[in-house]
Structure formats: structure tokens, C-alpha cells
Amino acid sequence: MDDQACPRCKTTKYRNPSLKLMVNVCGHALCENCVDLLFLKGSGSCPDCNVPLRRSNFRVQLFEDSMVEKEMDIRKRVLKDYNKKEEDFATLREYNDYLEEIETIIYNLCNNIDIVGTNKRIEQYKKDNKELIMKNKLKIGREELELEEILEIEKQMEEVRRAEISRMEQEAKKQKIREKEALIDELMFAEGNAKDILNTFAQNIAKKEEADIVPVMPKVTQFSSGVKFTRGSGSQHNVPVLEEGPLYKYEAPVIPDRCGPSPPSIQSIVNCGYLQHVRAENETEKAGGYSSTLPCLRALQDAMAGLYHAS
């Protein structure tokens, strides 16, 4: 609770549960009331580092550590210009060096290391790669626009699906009301036995429900490639039917020639003291069929596996 406090008015989450902390580009948090007071005259600076701030750049703090918020802002700002892809480089080593350079710049800006030199480095990069930066920005913009269109289409299809399901539910409710009214009329005016009428009504309803089973409308997902994929729409007729073959019969593996002694048998493990350094099984493990001799034998076989040789 002490960490979640405004550095200006010292209000904490403990004393004010509705406290809303906000952060700016410098990474230092302020509560919403202090932000309003700070910009009462139209301009203000951070109380901690005296960096000039803008009211429009303040946003609600998402993480407890305000440095995470600062790194997110810096990373977003740097990656707007450092937007090269792997295909823009001749070798993978050059691309990895480029990614390492980005992380170095972000680290310097987050920890206030050589701020002036780092900003000059960014400006020089922007001048040297102006055309490529603009080209990649346009490409990213087209991809985002394409993704938004796909999401909008999926949203519309989901709304149509919900409307159809709602309509079917309303129709089913109305049908049940009509059936109940018909049953009441028949019980009131029919001359037969009421029990027989109810049994006949229940049988008719059961047959109708079996005949009117409506399959659930599948969800359709459209990817950026333009291909539409339907979840759960695979046909069972396309599944190949496997023919039944002979039953499986265990055959012991053929042990190749070895250059040294053979691993001991289970009886030798018990008699020769191999189990002195192995944890004995408890009652529960013994009831489940576990025995300490088997893992001991497996360990010895693995240790002596290097004694095999290919003929």
C-alpha cells in the first residue's frame, strides 16, 4: 500500500481506496487531483525530476511500478522509427545487431544514461533511413487497417448469429405457449381420459423435439489471407476408416554386442547391496505396483549403455 502513493500530496491507496494514479513520459506518478492542480495555469513540470509535462500525455497507471509505464512509452516511441523487418537486412547477424541497438537505446532512455547522445543517435538514424521508415509505416498502417476490417466483419457476423439465435429462442417460447394453450383446450373440451390425453401430448412433444433439432451455427473466422475457416465444421465423412489388423504381440528387443560386462539382474541387485543407496518404496507405492528395484535396474542399464557398439 505504501508504494501506491502520490509523491506530491502523499495520499495512499490505504487512506483513499479510489485513488487514481496517472503517469507521464517521465515515468513518475501523480494522483488525478494533483494533475488537475498542476495544470491549473496551463503548464507544469514533474515534482520529482522537473521535466516539462503536458496534460494530454497523462494516462491512468496500469502497473504498480511506474518504471514499467515509462519503458512502455519509450519503447512505443522508439519502435515507431526503428521499424525495420528481418527481410530488410542481408544477414541474420545484422538484424540481431539492429535489435540489440534498439534495446540499448531503450535502456539508456529509461535509466537516464547519455540522454543527449542517445537522442542525437535517434535523429541521425531517422535522417539516414527516412524513406525506409515511411515505407514501413505505410505498410504497418495497411496491415492494421486490414486487421480492423477483418475484426469488423467478424463482429457483424457475430451480431447476425446472436440475432438468429435470439429469434429462434423467441419462436420456441411462442410455440411452447401455443402447445400449452392447445393442451388446456383439449383437457377442457375433450371427452377422453385426462391421463391418456397428457401421455399422448408428452409423446407428441418428444417426437417433435427429436425432429426439430437445429444444429448450432458454427463460428466463422476469417484470417488476413482472406481464407475463411469454420471452427468445428470438419466433416466426419473425410476421416479415413482404418482396417483392423492382427493383435499386437510383444517381442523382446535384440540386445547388440557389448564391450564390457552385462548389467546385473534383478536378483543380483537385491542380493549384492545395490539398493542400499536407493530410497525404498512406501506402502502406497508398493500397493500401486512400484518397486525400487526397477528404477535401480533402469539406472544401471542407462549407465552401461555406452558399452554397446554397432557391428
Side-chain angles (χ1 to χ4, degrees):
M1 285 294 182
D2 293 337
D3 295 334
Q4 293 290 304
C6 176
R8 192 168 185 268
C9 64
K10 308 302 180 185
T11 305
T12 63
K13 283 274 190 181
Y14 179 76
R15 286 185 288 177
N16 183 11
S18 61
L19 179 70
K20 187 184 290 185
L21 292 175
M22 307 185 76
V23 292
N24 209 307
V25 291
C26 65
H28 297 118
L30 285 174
C31 69
E32 193 172 16
N33 294 331
C34 288
V35 171
D36 293 336
L37 290 173
L38 185 65
F39 291 93
L40 206 58
K41 296 181 180 179
S43 63
S45 58
C46 178
D48 286 348
C49 58
N50 293 322
V51 173
L53 302 176
R54 293 182 180 178
R55 179 67 179 86
S56 58
N57 289 339
F58 273 97
R59 69 178 191 282
V60 178
Q61 182 176 344
L62 299 177
F63 300 94
E64 290 186 6
D65 189 358
S66 59
M67 289 301 296
V68 178
E69 302 279 352
K70 181 179 179 181
E71 182 180 345
M72 286 173 57
D73 278 338
I74 293 172
R75 186 174 293 275
K76 190 182 297 183
R77 178 163 54 89
V78 170
L79 291 180
K80 270 187 180 179
D81 298 318
Y82 283 79
N83 55 9
K84 289 183 181 179
K85 304 296 182 182
E86 186 176 352
E87 55 266 21
D88 297 327
F89 296 89
T91 62
L92 181 61
R93 179 61 182 270
E94 292 179 4
Y95 179 59
N96 290 334
D97 292 341
Y98 170 75
L99 296 178
E100 189 173 347
E101 181 185 0
I102 293 174
E103 294 302 322
T104 303
I105 290 171
I106 294 172
Y107 180 81
N108 291 345
L109 295 176
C110 289
N111 296 277
N112 299 323
I113 301 172
D114 191 17
I115 299 294
V116 177
T118 304
N119 286 327
K120 287 182 179 179
R121 187 174 172 185
I122 294 173
E123 292 300 323
Q124 186 63 38
Y125 171 83
K126 289 165 69 174
K127 288 179 182 178
D128 296 341
N129 301 273
K130 186 176 180 180
E131 294 183 1
L132 185 58
I133 289 171
M134 291 301 298
K135 179 181 175 183
N136 286 336
K137 280 184 178 179
L138 292 173
K139 185 178 179 182
I140 293 171
R142 286 196 299 269
E143 290 176 353
E144 290 178 351
L145 185 63
E146 197 175 308
L147 183 60
E148 287 179 2
E149 291 177 355
I150 292 170
L151 293 175
E152 184 64 27
I153 291 172
E154 287 187 357
K155 186 178 178 181
Q156 293 174 1
M157 294 175 69
E158 186 67 22
E159 289 177 356
V160 171
R161 180 173 172 272
R162 288 177 181 173
E164 182 66 20
I165 291 174
S166 177
R167 186 189 64 79
M168 291 166 62
E169 289 176 351
Q170 293 293 331
E171 287 292 332
K173 287 180 181 178
K174 292 179 181 178
Q175 182 64 25
K176 285 183 179 180
I177 292 172
R178 288 195 293 267
E179 290 171 353
K180 287 181 180 179
E181 292 175 350
L183 176 61
I184 292 171
D185 292 341
E186 191 171 355
L187 289 172
M188 288 176 64
F189 301 108
E191 298 179 355
N193 190 357
K195 189 175 181 180
D196 295 337
I197 294 174
L198 288 173
N199 290 335
T200 305
F201 178 79
Q203 291 174 3
N204 292 336
I205 292 296
K207 290 179 181 178
K208 192 170 183 181
E209 286 179 353
E210 291 178 0
D212 294 342
I213 293 176
V214 179
V216 179
M217 296 177 66
K219 267 190 175 181
V220 177
T221 304
Q222 183 179 6
F223 294 92
S224 58
S225 60
V227 182
K228 292 186 178 181
F229 295 90
T230 304
R231 297 191 191 126
S233 62
S235 176
Q236 294 181 354
H237 301 288
N238 297 330
V239 179
V241 180
L242 299 177
E243 297 181 358
E244 292 187 3
L247 297 176
Y248 175 76
K249 184 179 179 182
Y250 172 76
E251 294 181 1
V254 179
I255 300 176
D257 299 333
R258 72 170 57 247
C259 301
S262 300
S265 62
I266 294 180
Q267 190 64 34
S268 300
I269 289 174
V270 175
N271 296 334
C272 298
Y274 284 95
L275 299 178
Q276 292 179 0
H277 305 286
V278 179
R279 181 181 65 82
E281 66 274 7
N282 55 36
E283 294 297 329
T284 304
E285 293 171 341
K286 190 181 293 184
Y290 174 79
S291 174
S292 58
T293 57
L294 295 177
C296 182
L297 176 62
R298 177 63 181 272
L300 289 169
Q301 290 176 342
D302 289 344
M304 303 177 74
L307 299 177
Y308 291 106
H309 74 279
S311 59

